[in-house]
């Protein structure tokens, strides 16, 4: 693992990052905060530089490094993050994405459809509580 203190997105324009009382819910996505009724839980707002996933991987991986597993959990911006990868060059074997919808909705989501276009297939979903869990996809 490595830590890079930037946001990941399609644009290189710095973005506002919302720090919440419950840090696992921190996000760049204000609509997510509204949807989850967390507006009154915002502790701080900071401006963060933004890079693409491809740029970060390019700068931090060596030619012999393997990508076995991606865990994408970015509170509402998962698809945007995934779209910034170069799937021809960086292909993790397994991808895990957060899902808060029932299984049938999750496996037909925009994220899953996008990853299926990149030759991944759903292999299962873990359940944490209610419908909240993670969908697992594997490279074909």
């Amino acid at each position: 693992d490595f830590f890079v203190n930037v946001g990941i997105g399609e644009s290189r324009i710095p973005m506002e990052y919302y720090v919440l009382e419950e840090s696992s819910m921190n996000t760049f996505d204000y609509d997510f905060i509204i949807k989850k009724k967390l507006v009154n839980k915002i502790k701080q707002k900071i401006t963060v530089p933004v890079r693409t996933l491809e740029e970060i991987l390019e700068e931090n991986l060596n030619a012999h490094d393997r990508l076995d597993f991606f865990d994408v959990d970015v509170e509402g911006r998962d698809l945007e993050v995934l779209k910034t990868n170069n799937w021809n060059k960086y292909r993790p074997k397994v991808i895990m994405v957060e899902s808060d919808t029932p299984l049938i909705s999750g496996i037909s989501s925009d994220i899953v459809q996008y990853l299926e276009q990149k030759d991944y297939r759903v292999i299962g979903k873990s359940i944490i509580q209610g419908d909240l869990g993670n969908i697992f996809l594997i490279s074909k």
Side-chain angles (χ1 to χ4, degrees):
D1 291 346
F2 53 89
F3 181 80
V4 182
N5 195 17
V6 299
I8 299 176
E10 296 170 312
S11 170
R12 303 255 319 170
I13 299 169
M15 295 177 15
E16 296 299 319
Y17 184 69
Y18 299 92
V19 179
L20 305 175
E21 290 175 8
E22 173 57 49
S23 64
S24 67
M25 302 296 276
N26 292 351
T27 183
F28 288 100
D29 191 341
Y30 192 74
D31 290 338
F32 173 85
I33 291 173
I34 292 170
K35 176 183 170 189
K36 299 292 184 180
K37 298 179 173 72
L38 298 170
V39 174
N40 62 340
K41 304 290 185 187
I42 297 172
K43 287 181 9 181
Q44 184 181 7
K45 184 170 69 168
I46 57 177
T47 302
V48 175
V50 177
R51 313 269 308 286
T52 67
L53 184 55
E54 179 182 10
E55 290 171 324
I56 292 168
L57 294 173
E58 185 71 31
E59 293 170 7
N60 291 282
L61 294 180
N62 298 313
H64 64 277
D65 289 338
R66 282 186 357 201
L67 290 174
D68 291 323
F69 182 70
F70 268 8
D71 175 2
V72 181
D73 182 358
V74 293
E75 310 310 333
R77 300 184 64 84
D78 306 69
L79 183 56
E80 181 179 347
V81 167
L82 290 167
K83 285 182 174 181
T84 69
N85 186 36
N86 177 341
W87 293 99
N88 294 318
K89 189 170 185 177
Y90 302 111
R91 290 195 60 79
K93 182 71 175 168
V94 177
I95 300 172
M96 180 177 80
V97 293
E98 188 175 43
S99 172
D100 63 357
T101 61
L103 177 60
I104 196 72
S105 303
I107 61 175
S108 61
S109 69
D110 291 343
I111 293 170
V112 169
Q113 288 179 26
Y114 175 78
L115 290 171
E116 286 175 339
Q117 292 172 5
K118 302 298 178 190
D119 290 326
Y120 284 83
R121 65 181 173 85
V122 173
I123 56 171
K125 179 177 178 175
S126 65
I127 302 296
I128 298 169
Q129 179 181 19
D131 289 323
L132 180 63
N134 295 293
I135 295 177
F136 294 83
L137 300 100
I138 191 166
S139 180
K140 292 182 180 178

